[in-house]
Amino acid sequence: MDRLLDPELFRLLSEPTRVKLLSCLIKCGRPCSVTEIAECCSIDFSVVSRHLSSMAKLGVLDATKEGRTVWYEARTSEIAERFRAIADSIDQWKSQSCCNGAGRVCE
Amino acid sequence: MDRLLDPELFRLLSEPTRVKLLSCLIKCGRPCSVTEIAECCSIDFSVVSRHLSSMAKLGVLDATKEGRTVWYEARTSEIAERFRAIADSIDQWKSQSCCNGAGRVCE
DNA sequence: TGTATAGTTGCATTATGACGTCAGCATGCA
DNA sequence: TGCATGCTGACGTCATAATGCAACTATACA
């Protein structure tokens, strides 16, 4: 579980700006360029570029370079899968909690 | 989906310290006091208090005051449910993406 | 070759938030 | 009533990171 509860992934999603971009890409359902998203969301495109590349680096987005434009697309299935895995692993821990009434579990 | 992709929830989970506390509570499977967790995880208890109360405020933990001690317990099922809802909603968007090839979706 | 376009990166500024200390509050108990 | 305990809240400090601007690189095209 501790592996799945990846702080880095959540850090990405803790930024309203990034969530806005991601949500935009998920809803769009097709690859979008940096300029396109920047215009669509009214955010400085250097900011958009940085956010998108950081999300791509963490496997949340797919990036495809084609000429001078980069097409970003949300890895929708993988993201959903990741959340489901977390849910499953939490449920699993729930059903086998280790210290009924006493004991240390932190380390 | 924008409602489910709550940056506040992810912000909670983006802090390694908080994740440690949450993971500890989930694994423990029983209510724990602030002092208990602070000792168990070797973290200053004012820090623990702050983190636990913020997680309780966001519905991740249950807080029960009993005399001077506060018992915190992970809302395991609710958390898992929340992640599943996110996964479902992402899948749903995927299957009905709104702007095939054009159009604005951000606002 | 010159110019326009698409995107990235460096930099300074600003904002956010985590931490530890300490004081304060409520509760329990002698 | 006085004191100990469990926790919370305010404050100052520090580190991280988000932002906007401008300089830069790379590609396309006339």
Side-chain angles (χ1 to χ4, degrees):
Chain A
M1 180 177 66
D2 298 282
R3 187 182 46 82
L4 288 167
L5 283 178
D6 177 15
E8 266 310 297
L9 170 65
F10 294 126
R11 199 181 63 75
L12 284 188
L13 301 173
S14 69
E15 245 291 309
T17 308
R18 267 192 299 265
V19 173
K20 190 177 178 185
L21 298 175
L22 177 61
S23 155
C24 177
L25 276 168
I26 293 177
K27 289 177 188 169
C28 211
R30 62 174 176 87
C32 299
S33 71
V34 174
T35 312
E36 197 174 6
I37 300 177
E39 280 174 0
C40 181
C41 299
S42 312
I43 299 172
D44 185 282
F45 79 100
S46 82
V47 172
V48 172
S49 166
R50 257 190 296 259
H51 282 321
L52 294 185
S53 89
S54 71
M55 287 196 276
K57 208 167 282 171
L58 240 88
V60 173
L61 305 181
D62 253 337
T64 314
K65 188 157 186 172
E66 188 184 311
R68 351 170 232 204
T69 72
V70 179
W71 298 103
Y72 283 103
E73 184 170 20
R75 303 189 66 191
T76 322
S77 310
E78 287 80 359
I79 301 170
E81 204 44 54
R82 208 143 158 186
F83 282 123
R84 262 197 207 94
I86 294 170
D88 289 344
S89 118
I90 290 174
D91 277 338
Q92 209 175 339
W93 267 107
K94 182 190 164 199
S95 63
Q96 57 178 245
S97 50
C98 60
C99 65
N100 302 300
R104 308 190 146 224
V105 290
C106 291
E107 290 98 25
Chain B
M1 181 179 64
D2 297 281
R3 189 182 44 82
L4 288 167
L5 281 179
D6 177 16
E8 268 308 297
L9 170 66
F10 294 126
R11 199 183 63 75
L12 285 187
L13 300 172
S14 70
E15 244 293 308
T17 309
R18 266 192 300 263
V19 172
K20 189 177 179 184
L21 298 174
L22 178 61
S23 156
C24 177
L25 276 168
I26 292 176
K27 289 176 186 169
C28 210
R30 62 173 176 88
C32 298
S33 71
V34 174
T35 312
E36 196 174 8
I37 299 178
E39 281 174 358
C40 182
C41 298
S42 314
I43 300 173
D44 186 283
F45 80 101
S46 84
V47 172
V48 172
S49 166
R50 253 191 302 258
H51 283 322
L52 295 186
S53 87
S54 70
M55 287 196 276
K57 208 167 284 174
L58 242 88
V60 172
L61 305 181
D62 253 335
T64 314
K65 187 154 191 178
E66 187 184 311
R68 336 168 244 208
T69 72
V70 179
W71 299 102
Y72 283 102
E73 184 170 20
R75 302 189 66 191
T76 320
S77 311
E78 286 81 359
I79 301 170
E81 203 44 52
R82 210 143 157 185
F83 280 118
R84 256 188 216 103
I86 294 171
D88 289 344
S89 119
I90 289 175
D91 278 338
Q92 208 176 339
W93 269 106
K94 183 189 162 199
S95 62
Q96 57 177 246
S97 51
C98 60
C99 65
N100 302 299
R104 309 190 143 223
V105 292
C106 291
E107 291 98 27

